[in-house]
Amino acid sequence: MRKSLFLYLFIIAVLMNLFTYKYFSSKDESQLKALTSKNKELQTSIDDLNNKLSDANAFSLEYNDRAQNYLNEGEISDFTERVTQALLAYNDAPEGNKYIDQVKMGEQKFIITKVKLLNHRWIMAQYSNGKLWGEVLLKYFVNEDKSISFEVLNTYLYPEELN
């Protein structure tokens, strides 16, 4: 009687260990499949974002080899910063930045808030007076004395949003 009780307990323990092993091994496999699927999904998302970033940077001096060769400048990031700072320096004028082509409306002057060098000749900039927003397309030149000069090609002031 005692031997058969121990035998039954032993068989139950072996079966429990077998079922536990099977449960946890299949659980690990299903988690691995889920993680693999999620990894593929994330990789696809990363590839899509990289493609969108590449498309967005198609008109950017940093990724335009022909424009960089035309400029024959050293480090493009330093050049970009120099041109950006030259343009932003005009924000300090009491009437606002003169390259926005907008007159001061009210108390706030229009200043340039964002700048993107499109190539070796054009700049796209965003401007605002805190209430109204607009964009300007500028042509820029590097003079012989290494100074930067600008010319307004076109501006657009977005209409005031109605609440």
Side-chain angles (χ1 to χ4, degrees):
M1 173 100 168
R2 212 173 196 180
K3 286 183 181 181
S4 60
L5 179 65
F6 284 124
L7 181 63
Y8 288 130
L9 288 175
F10 178 74
I11 292 172
I12 289 172
V14 168
L15 288 174
M16 286 183 64
N17 283 336
L18 184 65
F19 289 132
T20 303
Y21 171 77
K22 183 64 177 162
Y23 170 76
F24 282 114
S25 65
S26 66
K27 182 179 174 185
D28 288 345
E29 288 175 12
S30 66
Q31 284 179 340
L32 182 61
K33 285 180 184 177
L35 288 175
T36 304
S37 172
K38 189 67 172 175
N39 190 23
K40 287 180 184 177
E41 185 180 314
L42 290 173
Q43 188 61 45
T44 302
S45 295
I46 289 171
D47 292 342
D48 289 346
L49 287 174
N50 282 335
N51 290 337
K52 286 180 182 178
L53 180 62
S54 177
D55 289 345
N57 285 328
F59 294 102
S60 176
L61 180 61
E62 288 84 12
Y63 298 97
N64 188 336
D65 292 334
R66 291 185 183 116
Q68 290 176 15
N69 291 337
Y70 178 85
L71 285 172
N72 200 15
E73 291 287 329
E75 184 64 36
I76 291 300
S77 61
D78 293 339
F79 175 76
T80 301
E81 184 64 25
R82 194 172 94 215
V83 172
T84 301
Q85 290 307 317
L87 183 58
L88 293 178
Y90 292 101
N91 284 348
D92 296 334
E95 301 82 29
N97 196 311
K98 68 181 183 179
Y99 292 109
I100 293 171
D101 217 18
Q102 294 290 333
V103 295
K104 185 176 176 182
M105 295 180 184
E107 295 180 21
Q108 295 294 328
K109 62 184 179 180
F110 283 100
I111 61 170
I112 291 179
T113 57
K114 288 185 182 178
V115 176
K116 180 163 180 99
L117 275 71
L118 300 177
N119 58 25
H120 63 286
R121 193 56 68 211
W122 298 328
I123 295 174
M124 183 83 170
Q126 184 181 63
Y127 62 90
S128 173
N129 69 352
K131 188 175 181 182
L132 298 170
W133 297 88
E135 293 173 348
V136 60
L137 181 63
L138 299 167
K139 196 173 194 179
Y140 72 96
F141 305 93
V142 180
N143 302 320
E144 288 184 19
D145 63 352
K146 297 291 185 187
S147 65
I148 312 286
S149 59
F150 303 96
E151 176 186 319
V152 177
L153 294 177
N154 204 347
T155 64
Y156 183 78
L157 183 64
Y158 290 102
E160 187 173 354
E161 293 180 13
L162 301 175
N163 292 330

